Amino acid sequence: MKGDRIEESSGSVRLLGRKGSNSSGGSNESSRWVDGSEVVDWDEVPPWSKLHDSDGREGYGTTIRRRLVKKPKRVDSFDVEAMEIGGAHGQHTKDMSLWPTLLLAFKTLGVVYGDMGTSPLYVFSDVFSKVPIESDVDVLGALSLVMYTIALIPLAKYVFIVLKANDSGEGGTFALYSLICRYAKVSMLPNRQQADEHISSFKLKLPTPELERALKIKETLERKATLKNILLVLVLLGTSMIIGDGILTPAISVMSAISGLQGQVKGFGTGALVGVSIVVLVALFSIQRFGTSKVGFMFAPVLALWFFSLGSIGLYNIFTYDVTVLRAINPAYVYYFFKNNGKGAWSALGGCVLCITGAEAMFADLGHFSVPAIQIAFTSVVFPCLLLAYMGQAAYLMKNPHSYSRIFYDSVPESLFWPVFVVATLAAMIASQAMISATFSCVKQSMALGCFPRLKIIHTSRKFMGQIYIPVMNWFLMIMCIIVVSIFQSTTDIANAYGIAEVGVMMVSTALVTLVMLLIWQTNLFLALCFPLVFGSVELIYMSAVLSKLFEGGWLPLAFATFFLSVMYTWNYGSVLKYRSEVREKISSDLMLDLGSNLGTLRVPGIGLLYNELVQGIPSIFLQFLLSLPAVHSTIVFVCIKYVPVPVVPQEERFLFRRVCPKDYHMFRCVARYGYKDVRKEDHHAFEQLLIESLEKFLRREAQEAALELEGALTEDTDNVSVKSMDTEQHHPAGNDADELRIPLMQGQNLAGEGTSSTLQEPESSALPLALPSSYMSSSAEDPSLEYELSALREAMESGCTYLLGHGDVRAKKNSFFFKKLVINYFYGFLRKNCRGGTANMKVPHTNIIQVGMTYMV
């Protein structure tokens, strides 16, 4: 099994290296390094997005777009190459023909609907523990509530609306947040670059002139830091609730399934129920490290058999006991239910809401399937089978009202008890497995977006990279599940806690999808407001009901949510302050120029890979290396790992590469961009080889562009050349930014703009070809400066690569508030010291790693 496991470093100092990379020309197809503009202001759009009226004047659409985004200050040839790639490598679509879609729909039964499918085990037993059955109206009213709750929330809300609010096929709370971050500058970490918008999966859509409402919402979100924080807290709260579900789902599902033995086996009491449940839970969490790939193929058939059992037994009970239960289709029975029971009926809503547990999984697990597959499975299998199951139980209760506490197993025919018990136990374990896997995925996405401490992640399958295992979270969930089962010892109290977590996640989704409607979909205002008014009102009613059980178990998910929310927000808050401190203290270009090409010390052969989080500028930690080391490497590469708000960044669009300082400094920057679902694995030898190959290509392309620009300049009028040179000096003075390339790029292209902006009018015609003419190849090959750089690079490679890591300590300033000192110095400091980071993330010999300590005052 070890051969099938891939350990992922979740730290911020890793870069992807493709295994099997070689130095042959074939590597050019396997990966391409592109250079993007590193302008700090990241509100920029691709140059082709500028619109004009038919008469050549700037139209109203252009004015809107100028308000929405600023034009790029400079367009490099490597930006054009990135645009070319973005058009050629579109996001992989999930459109399939009928039969593959039906097969995928069948597979969704085992992953998406396990939680909702096991809800008949405990819904009516919880409802009628709060409301006694005194007449048929009570049964019909409760059934009507359950039927319309399933029809309204999972069917109407999720199947037909929320599933469409996906992020390039990915769903979940963080996917919605990522989608919003692409359209508005709401991320708390200011590291976005204009080149990120060239990623093929970014797919920015600008608001149209007739819908300025989206533009106003965007500007309001970007202008007010309070709204950014509220949005972040809302997302983190929903994520915390999902993690809480990962604790409560296994507990209630397993206990409900095992409870069937209480009426069948003599002497099987509460103690035995708790003991057997704990044994099953320990076994369930113990097999997580092996992954689900070996047994995952059984999930769908087992759940299909389970849904068939629910539907067939329900149909049998309807015709055996009371077919008039179909009267519950009339929603008037909901009114009669509340009229007869008053406050008790309102309290019973906390049990009714359990019928839609797992509805969020339809959206959260979307990345593994497709929208049509999930819709087909729910409408054709899950929805009718669940309705039949609840109708059958209601029909049995009409004749046997005192059997509500064991309604599921009592309504099963005696001859089918043991087969149904086995299938129910397996279904409960599969539902728990799906929720545990969803929790792992949620934590990984949180880490990718800088909202969770770095933990060790192990990929349990090479074929299915979405199957991950997080040891720390696994054992934490297991311990919490055992504690919950041991303390509550009853599914009723656990159900009170379960309802709050489920409704909380749904309310967060409603708020985020409403924002997506207004900002991105640009839906009609009336329709957009109807969504939160209808679904939000229902969810608020359910939340008020489950909160009434706050002291009867309802406090548990709130405690979990508060704990995880505190951890996640503190980590994000400290990380943002650290990043801002690095930006504020970065080394000035004037200082670098004063130091000279030797950097005030000795330059020895070798390549130094300095990992940092800055996307532009030279980090202050580099100065600590200069002061601490007797010599530095002849070639320095600043490596930045950055996550962008897209699910996956294609390999050919992953890297941005550019020069830092003048040529004779031999300093470069590499920005590696990852999506929140990307997998980072590396062999450091393959990575180093890929780095050198890509750096050589960058140097050759740079020389070719210089030759191309020079030839174009020679053909221009002398006055035009003088004017353009003056304009270039005004816009990009020497030494203004250490990151600006010291050779002019694309000056021969048709530039247009106003103020200090320039845009590329015809990117298709002006883009550099992938294979330049032989005249440019020969001219670049004869360039002595290029040959000198390439020989120096090869010499440095022969001396080897050294990984330069900064071990930063973050402390609050002395004049900070007491609460900030408490959070940063103690809470955030504790998380940093105990999370996975530093040398633990580097799969390189320790002799190749140099660490320097530094304290950041925030």
Side-chain angles (χ1 to χ4, degrees):
M1 188 64 190
K2 290 184 178 179
D4 291 336
R5 296 163 68 87
I6 303 173
E7 181 175 334
E8 175 185 356
S9 167
S10 55
S12 60
V13 289
R14 299 291 301 278
L15 184 61
L16 180 76
R18 287 178 65 95
K19 294 186 178 180
S21 298
N22 52 53
S23 58
S24 64
S27 63
N28 192 28
E29 285 81 12
S30 63
S31 64
R32 184 187 310 279
W33 291 44
V34 297
D35 175 29
S37 173
E38 293 193 4
V39 181
V40 179
D41 194 344
W42 47 278
D43 284 340
E44 301 170 351
V45 300
W48 56 81
S49 62
K50 183 176 180 180
L51 300 180
H52 295 272
D53 287 338
S54 58
D55 59 356
R57 293 180 292 105
E58 293 185 352
Y60 182 67
T62 306
T63 306
I64 294 294
R65 284 156 178 78
R66 182 173 297 114
R67 288 175 56 198
L68 179 68
V69 285
K70 299 177 182 178
K71 301 172 186 174
K73 298 179 182 178
R74 182 168 63 89
V75 177
D76 290 346
S77 59
F78 290 103
D79 287 328
V80 177
E81 183 180 353
M83 299 170 194
E84 200 172 63
I85 294 173
H89 301 271
Q91 182 76 4
H92 174 69
T93 60
K94 297 181 180 179
D95 295 336
M96 293 181 293
S97 58
L98 177 61
W99 288 110
T101 301
L102 293 178
L103 179 60
L104 202 61
F106 175 74
K107 292 180 179 180
T108 62
L109 296 177
V111 177
V112 177
Y113 297 111
D115 195 3
M116 192 181 302
T118 55
S119 59
L121 289 169
Y122 45 78
V123 169
F124 277 150
S125 62
D126 189 74
V127 168
F128 292 114
S129 67
K130 302 175 175 65
V131 176
I133 301 178
E134 297 179 351
S135 64
D136 291 350
V137 173
D138 295 327
V139 177
L140 293 174
L143 175 60
S144 186
L145 266 175
V146 168
M147 292 171 57
Y148 283 101
T149 299
I150 297 176
L152 187 63
I153 302 298
L155 184 63
K157 177 186 173 182
Y158 281 95
V159 171
F160 292 113
I161 300 177
V162 175
L163 286 180
K164 297 181 180 179
N166 60 82
D167 181 16
S168 301
E170 299 296 333
T173 304
F174 266 104
L176 287 173
Y177 183 62
S178 170
L179 189 63
I180 294 171
C181 286
R182 295 223 298 275
Y183 285 80
K185 188 175 64 174
V186 295
S187 175
M188 302 300 292
L189 196 64
N191 66 346
R192 181 170 164 182
Q193 298 169 277
Q194 184 260 342
D196 294 340
E197 299 176 6
H198 303 161
I199 300 174
S200 58
S201 55
F202 214 92
K203 295 180 182 177
L204 274 177
K205 173 187 174 184
L206 302 180
T208 53
E210 63 271 20
L211 290 176
E212 282 199 68
R213 184 193 68 240
L215 176 61
K216 294 178 181 179
I217 295 175
K218 176 183 183 295
E219 293 174 343
T220 302
L221 286 173
E222 294 176 349
R223 186 174 62 252
K224 296 185 178 181
T226 303
L227 294 180
K228 294 181 183 179
N229 273 291
I230 292 175
L231 183 61
L232 177 64
V233 170
L234 192 65
V235 172
L236 296 183
L237 181 62
T239 306
S240 303
M241 293 287 188
I242 293 176
I243 298 176
D245 280 350
I247 298 172
L248 298 175
T249 297
I252 191 172
S253 298
V254 171
M255 281 195 72
S256 298
I258 302 298
S259 65
L261 296 177
Q262 285 186 309
Q264 194 73 17
V265 179
K266 294 183 178 180
F268 193 87
T270 302
L273 172 63
V274 172
V276 174
S277 299
I278 290 177
V279 171
V280 174
L281 288 172
V282 170
L284 176 65
F285 283 99
S286 297
I287 64 174
Q288 293 300 313
R289 61 191 182 93
F290 298 108
T292 58
S293 58
K294 296 294 187 295
V295 295
F297 70 93
M298 287 295 296
F299 286 2
V302 170
L303 263 298
L305 180 60
W306 170 249
F307 280 112
F308 174 76
S309 301
L310 290 179
S312 57
I313 293 174
L315 200 60
Y316 169 81
N317 288 333
I318 291 174
F319 288 102
T320 301
Y321 295 101
D322 196 341
V323 74
T324 62
V325 76
L326 296 175
R327 290 178 294 167
I329 296 176
N330 184 357
Y333 283 99
V334 175
Y335 168 75
Y336 299 142
F337 180 71
F338 277 91
K339 181 180 179 181
N340 292 347
N341 297 282
K343 186 177 180 181
W346 174 68
S347 178
L349 287 176
C352 288
V353 76
L354 297 179
C355 68
I356 55 174
T357 56
E360 183 68 21
M362 284 192 288
F363 186 49
D365 293 327
L366 180 59
H368 301 288
F369 303 100
S370 66
V371 173
I374 293 178
Q375 291 174 332
I376 290 172
F378 185 83
T379 54
S380 61
V381 178
V382 178
F383 185 59
C385 288
L386 287 178
L387 290 186
L388 289 174
Y390 288 117
M391 285 181 179
Q393 292 184 21
Y396 185 86
L397 285 174
M398 299 273 277
K399 304 298 182 183
N400 305 277
H402 298 292
S403 299
Y404 70 87
S405 60
R406 296 188 70 257
I407 175 57
F408 177 80
Y409 284 108
D410 284 353
S411 63
V412 174
E414 184 67 25
S415 59
L416 296 177
F417 173 82
W418 287 108
V420 171
F421 173 78
V422 173
V423 176
T425 304
L426 291 176
M429 295 184 67
I430 292 173
S432 303
Q433 170 64 54
M435 197 64 235
I436 294 169
S437 299
T439 302
F440 290 161
S441 299
C442 189
V443 171
K444 182 181 182 296
Q445 291 182 16
S446 303
M447 284 191 287
L449 295 177
C451 296
F452 206 92
R454 298 183 296 269
L455 303 174
K456 180 180 180 181
I457 298 178
I458 296 176
H459 292 263
T460 57
S461 172
R462 290 185 181 271
K463 184 178 180 181
F464 304 102
M465 299 312 295
Q467 296 182 4
I468 61 175
Y469 169 65
I470 305 178
V472 173
M473 287 302 302
N474 183 70
W475 302 123
F476 175 81
L477 293 178
M478 186 190 75
I479 293 173
M480 290 296 102
C481 279
I482 293 175
I483 292 176
V484 168
V485 171
S486 301
I487 293 178
F488 289 97
Q489 301 184 359
S490 168
T491 57
T492 301
D493 289 339
I494 299 178
N496 293 333
Y498 199 22
I500 293 180
E502 287 291 333
V503 180
V505 175
M506 293 176 186
M507 293 179 67
V508 170
S509 296
T510 299
L512 294 179
V513 172
T514 301
L515 186 57
V516 168
M517 286 180 169
L518 295 172
L519 179 65
I520 302 172
W521 291 357
Q522 301 164 6
T523 309
N524 178 274
L525 184 61
F526 174 76
L527 296 177
L529 293 180
C530 283
F531 181 78
L533 285 177
V534 174
F535 299 108
S537 299
V538 173
E539 291 162 357
L540 279 175
I541 293 173
Y542 275 122
M543 178 59 79
S544 65
V546 294
L547 284 178
S548 65
K549 302 298 180 180
L550 186 63
F551 299 103
E552 300 174 24
W555 57 270
L556 188 63
L558 297 181
F560 287 145
T562 302
F563 172 75
F564 284 109
L565 179 62
S566 301
V567 170
M568 297 169 72
Y569 189 83
T570 299
W571 183 262
N572 180 267
Y573 177 66
S575 300
V576 170
L577 289 182
K578 179 178 178 292
Y579 185 87
R580 290 176 178 172
S581 175
E582 290 184 349
V583 172
R584 186 172 58 250
E585 298 174 5
K586 65 183 180 181
I587 302 175
S588 67
S589 57
D590 293 337
L591 177 59
M592 296 301 296
L593 294 176
D594 291 341
L595 290 176
S597 60
N598 288 330
L599 301 176
T601 184
L602 296 177
R603 303 291 294 270
V604 296
I607 299 178
L609 305 179
L610 194 154
Y611 285 83
N612 69 105
E613 298 179 1
L614 292 183
V615 295
Q616 79 148 17
I618 301 176
S620 56
I621 193 69
F622 182 60
L623 191 58
Q624 296 295 321
F625 280 104
L626 294 179
L627 296 175
S628 304
L629 301 179
V632 295
H633 304 82
S634 58
T635 300
I636 300 293
V637 180
F638 298 100
V639 181
C640 171
I641 306 297
K642 185 179 76 169
Y643 283 91
V644 292
V646 295
V648 176
V649 176
Q651 171 73 6
E652 62 270 16
E653 303 175 32
R654 189 175 304 284
F655 302 103
L656 300 177
F657 205 84
R658 65 180 297 111
R659 185 185 295 278
V660 178
C661 295
K663 273 190 174 183
D664 53 347
Y665 280 60
H666 303 293
M667 297 170 62
F668 307 90
R669 166 177 282 95
C670 172
V671 179
R673 303 174 296 181
Y674 291 85
Y676 53 82
K677 289 184 70 67
D678 272 325
V679 176
R680 288 165 44 199
K681 58 185 186 297
E682 75 172 26
D683 173 79
H684 73 96
H685 293 296
F687 161 65
E688 293 167 5
Q689 184 67 33
L690 179 62
L691 174 67
I692 300 306
E693 292 175 5
S694 303
L695 189 51
E696 287 183 357
K697 294 173 188 175
F698 170 78
L699 294 175
R700 294 184 186 278
R701 175 60 73 104
E702 185 183 57
Q704 292 165 5
E705 286 187 343
L708 181 64
E709 186 275 333
L710 180 60
E711 179 171 321
L714 292 176
T715 61
E716 293 181 355
D717 184 77
T718 305
D719 294 337
N720 291 338
V721 173
S722 301
V723 171
K724 195 168 293 185
S725 300
M726 292 175 60
D727 185 64
T728 302
E729 291 178 2
Q730 292 174 358
H731 296 169
H732 307 290
N736 184 50
D737 192 334
D739 289 316
E740 292 294 332
L741 291 176
R742 295 313 175 111
I743 60 172
L745 296 177
M746 302 300 291
Q747 293 292 348
Q749 304 298 334
N750 182 23
L751 299 178
E754 59 181 336
T756 60
S757 301
S758 63
T759 58
L760 190 61
Q761 297 298 316
E762 297 178 356
E764 292 80 10
S765 61
S766 60
L768 287 177
L770 296 181
L772 291 176
S774 58
S775 60
Y776 297 130
M777 295 293 291
S778 60
S779 64
S780 63
E782 297 171 359
D783 185 357
S785 63
L786 173 62
E787 290 302 317
Y788 170 75
E789 277 203 287
L790 291 177
S791 62
L793 179 62
R794 296 188 186 102
E795 180 184 0
M797 184 58 187
E798 292 175 358
S799 300
C801 294
T802 302
Y803 294 77
L804 310 176
L805 307 180
H807 182 69
D809 185 23
V810 182
R811 307 288 294 178
K813 296 179 181 178
K814 291 184 178 180
N815 59 349
S816 301
F817 293 108
F818 170 78
F819 184 73
K820 181 179 179 180
K821 290 181 180 179
L822 179 66
V823 171
I824 297 298
N825 296 349
Y826 296 98
F827 196 9
Y828 180 69
F830 174 82
L831 294 176
R832 280 185 61 86
K833 290 178 182 178
N834 291 276
C835 73
R836 186 174 174 84
T839 56
N841 296 312
M842 309 301 296
K843 292 184 178 179
V844 296
H846 286 271
T847 55
N848 290 13
I849 297 177
I850 298 178
Q851 281 189 296
V852 172
M854 183 174 180
T855 300
Y856 296 95
M857 303 303 296
V858 297

